[in-house]
Amino acid sequence: MQVAVLGASGKGGSEITKELAARGHTVVGISRHPDAIPDLPGVQRKAGDASKPDELARLIKGVDAVISAVHFDIPSATLLGAVKQAGVNRLLVMGGAASLKGADGVMLYDSPHFPEEIKPIVKPAITFLDELREEQEVDWTFFSPAMVIFEGERKGPGSFELGGDELVTDGDGNSKISYADYAIAMVDELEQHNHSRQRFTAAYP
């Protein structure tokens, strides 16, 4: 496929770009810092600002899918507007974990243990997901990572477990995944299309 990755120079976006290129997909990597996008065969590095829908629509026109790894200070309406303007039907979003539910069925954001100082940072991701769930035209997927996502080794396929709206944890109650393994699950979803208009998550069991 030809896939546009928004925020391709960031921690998540760069790993997703690497995984796509390794599997033979053509990548249009878009960032305000294009020189920081992985320089790999099959990767086109382009300067662009996802907060400007007309500009973004021009950059992504003709791709088969868009994967967004940008921060949630860009509203869903802006991103969806650009995708629709470009005529792209598939949107995958690198989401947040705060909207996942714990074992008690309570959203992590609403848990008494959730740090108050982080709430203003993660709330836009929750709003973004709520708005995606109202979207009827674009085929979207929202991929929440584990509670802790970190720069670390690529353990590879089979090292993580997928989930839906509930946090995936290991035997000690920890929830974590590396950006590299997160990228595997993201590209798996692109190729297998198992979560159309759904949210899913992944973590090491």
Side-chain angles (χ1 to χ4, degrees):
M1 301 182 200
Q2 185 175 34
V3 185
V5 178
L6 313 183
S9 62
K11 293 176 183 178
S14 62
E15 290 295 336
I16 292 166
T17 297
K18 292 175 189 175
E19 186 68 26
L20 287 165
R23 298 196 199 187
H25 298 288
T26 300
V27 181
V28 180
I30 299 170
S31 171
R32 286 177 289 184
H33 308 286
D35 290 345
I37 297 172
D39 187 9
L40 299 168
V43 177
Q44 305 170 43
R45 301 190 295 175
K46 296 188 176 183
D49 187 342
S51 68
K52 300 176 180 177
D54 291 342
E55 175 184 317
L56 182 57
R58 287 194 298 271
L59 291 170
I60 65 176
K61 189 172 182 62
V63 304
D64 298 301
V66 172
I67 297 178
S68 174
V70 297
H71 295 296
F72 291 100
D73 52 355
I74 298 174
S76 63
T78 300
L79 191 53
L80 287 167
V83 169
K84 292 175 184 178
Q85 186 178 334
V88 180
N89 185 51
R90 191 97 186 272
L91 173 66
L92 297 91
V93 177
M94 182 174 180
S99 56
L100 292 166
K101 295 178 181 178
D104 57 2
V106 176
M107 189 167 67
L108 299 180
Y109 181 88
D110 293 327
S111 166
H113 306 294
F114 197 87
E116 287 293 330
E117 64 272 16
I118 299 177
K119 285 188 173 182
I121 300 170
V122 302
K123 184 67 166 94
I126 297 174
T127 301
F128 196 103
L129 175 59
D130 288 341
E131 292 171 351
L132 275 184
R133 284 174 165 153
E134 300 297 320
E135 173 59 35
Q136 299 297 319
E137 185 178 340
V138 174
D139 186 355
W140 60 269
T141 299
F142 190 93
F143 181 16
S144 292
M147 176 60 77
V148 177
I149 183 168
F150 61 95
E151 294 180 84
E153 68 173 315
R154 183 186 189 276
K155 295 183 179 181
S159 65
F160 51 83
E161 180 180 308
L162 301 184
D165 288 323
E166 292 189 356
L167 189 72
V168 175
T169 59
D170 62 18
D172 296 322
N174 299 311
S175 177
K176 57 186 179 180
I177 194 168
S178 70
Y179 282 103
D181 287 325
Y182 176 95
I184 294 174
M186 177 68 90
V187 181
D188 283 349
E189 175 60 28
L190 172 75
E191 295 175 343
Q192 298 168 17
H193 208 168
N194 291 323
H195 299 90
S196 176
R197 295 191 173 89
Q198 296 177 56
R199 181 261 293 282
F200 76 108
T201 186
Y204 300 133

